[in-house]
Amino acid sequence: MSVPGYRDTPGPEWDSHTPVDPAEAEEFLALFHHEQPAGDGRERIARVRAEIAETGTYVQTYDELVFGARVAWRNASRCIGRLYWRSLVVRDLRKVTEPGEVAEELVRHLRTAGQRERRVIRPVISIFAPHTPGRPATRLWNDQLVRYAGHRAADGTVVGDPQYVQFTETLQQYGWSGKPDNPFDVLPLAIEAPGGSVTLHELPEDAVWEVPIEHPQLRWFAELGLRWHAVPAISNMRLSIGGVDYPLAPFNGWYLGTEIGARNLADPGRYNLLPLVAARMGLDTSTERSLWKDRALVELNHAVLHSFDRAGARISDHHTESERFLAHIAGEERSGRRVPADWSWIVPPMSPATTGVFHRYYHEADQRPGFYLDPDARELGRRGRSPITPAGRCPVAHAVPRPRPAPAPTVRPATPIAPPAQVPAQRPGWLGRLLRR
């Protein structure tokens, strides 16, 4: 099935100059009043149509905003955790536009979503000012509120996350230096004001809940100095509700273990830890038939789940969450609603055939309200935008520091390891040093 806007079939490109579509607004308001009866829906629709005709857009009520945000999560075809869509905490920040205030609210989002002292992670969305047709808005470059830098060393190796090397280098042009020897160096927030000026805002230490990674049986795992942040807050997707677009609406749930253990820490283009784990386990990497990648992958994921559980940071395993997603589908069908889902995202990247979500097809559809990743937001999250002007000046670069007093962790093991000869030679610098010891 080919559905516009779904999977690899491009939908209509978002035009920031186009007024709100009255038909889309009416469809949303009809859904709102159908699922949450509140007043005269026909009267509300008439007022909204008149407001759109006069201004090109309309102001949604708080109840409409909350409902729309939750339904957008319900419609997110790439999310397996939608069983909890009704529990989404919605923060109405539509009047917050000044970059410094935006940064404060993003920090408050992280503190609200991940409460370390209470050992609680809850789903939160912070919705900032709506887009007004033809007017620029405050925007955040980062694709997630918490990501780790990728520092390129003089010899070309990378310390940290290779996915963010270009983004890191762009922020360095704005005056940020970070900790080049730290493979888990938290990136600052890059906020662009409507006029184009850019400020960098360091996240305070208490806002970033990080979990040290260790293994319940393999004691040497702790010696690797690995860790990961506990709150996955996606921040570069446009929220669309009833024709009104919110370019800055970061949201989070909690991690599925494989997102960290089978992707972030394992992908060759990310931290690429499978060769290191296999070497420490003494596995035969001379042949793929030894299944050394599979065995190392299981233990890496085991370590992630164990560590998050020990820290009290909520995380799901792919087997449990698969069953919950099937329960979500059943519940939605009882309510008369079909669940849009992208099989390639719903099926986990580890042991997929052992999960229930693998063995079925799904309804492919682009349903609104929804979240959308626009091409310019995608590129800003990858590379940012250089401050260098044709005159060779950097007129918009200024940093707002927030101290992170905790020392950078070591990633060197206490005992030397003898890596197998088959481990690829080109890898991030800090990992290469581990393998050469």
Side-chain angles (χ1 to χ4, degrees), residues 29-93:
L29 293 169
L31 179 67
F32 171 74
H33 284 276
H34 172 71
E35 294 194 22
Q36 295 193 355
D40 188 344
R42 290 172 298 181
E43 180 181 337
R44 172 61 176 155
I45 290 172
R47 291 201 307 270
V48 164
R49 280 189 169 274
E51 191 174 347
I52 293 173
E54 181 178 353
T55 68
T57 186
Y58 68 102
V59 178
Q60 292 170 337
T61 68
Y62 174 74
D63 288 342
E64 290 167 357
L65 186 75
V66 171
F67 175 77
R70 290 174 176 169
V71 173
W73 186 12
R74 186 175 82 190
N75 289 339
S77 63
R78 292 180 170 182
C79 178
I80 196 174
R82 284 176 275 166
L83 177 64
Y84 320 97
W85 67 272
R86 292 182 180 85
S87 67
L88 181 65
V89 176
V90 180
R91 304 178 68 230
D92 183 359
L93 302 172

Side-chain angles (χ1 to χ4, degrees), residues 138-179:
T138 301
R139 66 189 308 169
L140 178 69
W141 289 1
N142 308 62
D143 65 356
Q144 288 198 22
L145 296 185
V146 182
R147 281 298 201 189
Y148 296 119
H151 294 283
R152 195 191 304 274
D155 62 358
T157 59
V158 174
V159 176
D161 194 338
Q163 181 166 290
Y164 294 97
V165 167
Q166 290 181 302
F167 191 81
T168 300
E169 291 174 348
T170 298
L171 298 193
Q172 288 169 345
Q173 295 178 41
Y174 285 86
W176 184 72
S177 56
K179 303 180 179 71

Side-chain angles (χ1 to χ4, degrees), residues 22 33 48 52 81 86 102 104 122 131 135 160 199 212 233 235 237 241 287 293-294 296 310 319 357 391 396 409:
H33 284 276
V48 164
I52 293 173
R86 292 182 180 85
V102 169
E104 294 291 341
R122 55 181 178 169
H131 170 71
R135 296 184 188 175
T199 52
S235 53
M237 297 190 76
I241 301 175
T287 173
K293 292 180 182 178
D294 308 74
R310 184 168 183 175
H319 296 287
V357 294
V396 297

Side-chain angles (χ1 to χ4, degrees), residues 62-309:
Y62 174 74
D63 288 342
E64 290 167 357
L65 186 75
V66 171
F67 175 77
R70 290 174 176 169
V71 173
W73 186 12
R74 186 175 82 190
N75 289 339
S77 63
R78 292 180 170 182
C79 178
I80 196 174
R82 284 176 275 166
L83 177 64
Y84 320 97
W85 67 272
R86 292 182 180 85
S87 67
L88 181 65
V89 176
V90 180
R91 304 178 68 230
D92 183 359
L93 302 172
R94 287 178 286 179
K95 294 183 179 181
V96 178
T97 58
E98 195 277 322
E101 295 178 354
V102 169
E104 294 291 341
E105 291 297 344
L106 294 176
V107 169
R108 191 167 288 116
H109 177 117
L110 288 171
R111 288 173 174 154
T112 301
Q115 299 179 15
R116 202 173 336 192
E117 67 284 353
R118 296 178 57 198
R119 300 164 71 93
V120 169
I121 294 178
R122 55 181 178 169
V124 177
I125 186 169
S126 297
I127 304 177
F128 290 87
H131 170 71
T132 301
R135 296 184 188 175
T138 301
R139 66 189 308 169
L140 178 69
W141 289 1
N142 308 62
D143 65 356
Q144 288 198 22
L145 296 185
V146 182
R147 281 298 201 189
Y148 296 119
H151 294 283
R152 195 191 304 274
D155 62 358
T157 59
V158 174
V159 176
D161 194 338
Q163 181 166 290
Y164 294 97
V165 167
Q166 290 181 302
F167 191 81
T168 300
E169 291 174 348
T170 298
L171 298 193
Q172 288 169 345
Q173 295 178 41
Y174 285 86
W176 184 72
S177 56
K179 303 180 179 71
D181 292 328
N182 183 357
F184 300 98
D185 187 16
V186 177
L187 287 162
L189 301 175
I191 300 178
E192 181 179 346
S197 63
V198 178
T199 52
L200 306 184
H201 305 259
E202 292 274 9
L203 291 170
E205 183 186 10
D206 70 313
V208 182
W209 184 357
E210 293 181 290
V211 177
I213 306 299
E214 56 186 47
H215 193 283
Q217 286 86 40
L218 305 175
R219 299 302 177 186
W220 50 261
F221 231 99
E223 299 170 1
L224 303 180
L226 307 176
R227 65 174 185 257
W228 204 260
H229 59 92
V231 179
I234 299 172
S235 53
N236 67 339
M237 297 190 76
R238 171 172 52 91
L239 170 63
S240 181
I241 301 175
V244 178
D245 294 290
Y246 299 90
L248 181 52
F251 60 95
N252 72 274
W254 49 85
Y255 268 115
L256 187 66
T258 52
E259 293 179 87
I260 304 171
R263 300 303 309 275
N264 298 335
L265 294 178
D267 277 357
R270 302 294 298 284
Y271 280 82
N272 194 24
L273 285 173
L274 295 187
L276 173 61
V277 173
R280 292 302 302 256
M281 292 175 64
L283 302 179
D284 176 14
T285 61
S286 65
T287 173
E288 299 292 351
R289 290 184 177 275
S290 69
L291 301 183
W292 65 270
K293 292 180 182 178
D294 308 74
R295 295 165 67 186
L297 187 67
V298 168
E299 298 307 333
L300 181 55
N301 279 269
H302 190 186
V304 168
L305 293 173
H306 165 78
S307 301
F308 270 64
D309 288 344

Side-chain angles (χ1 to χ4, degrees), residues 344-359:
S344 64
W345 280 70
I346 295 300
V347 174
M350 177 179 171
S351 307
T354 66
T355 64
V357 294
F358 177 88
H359 302 280

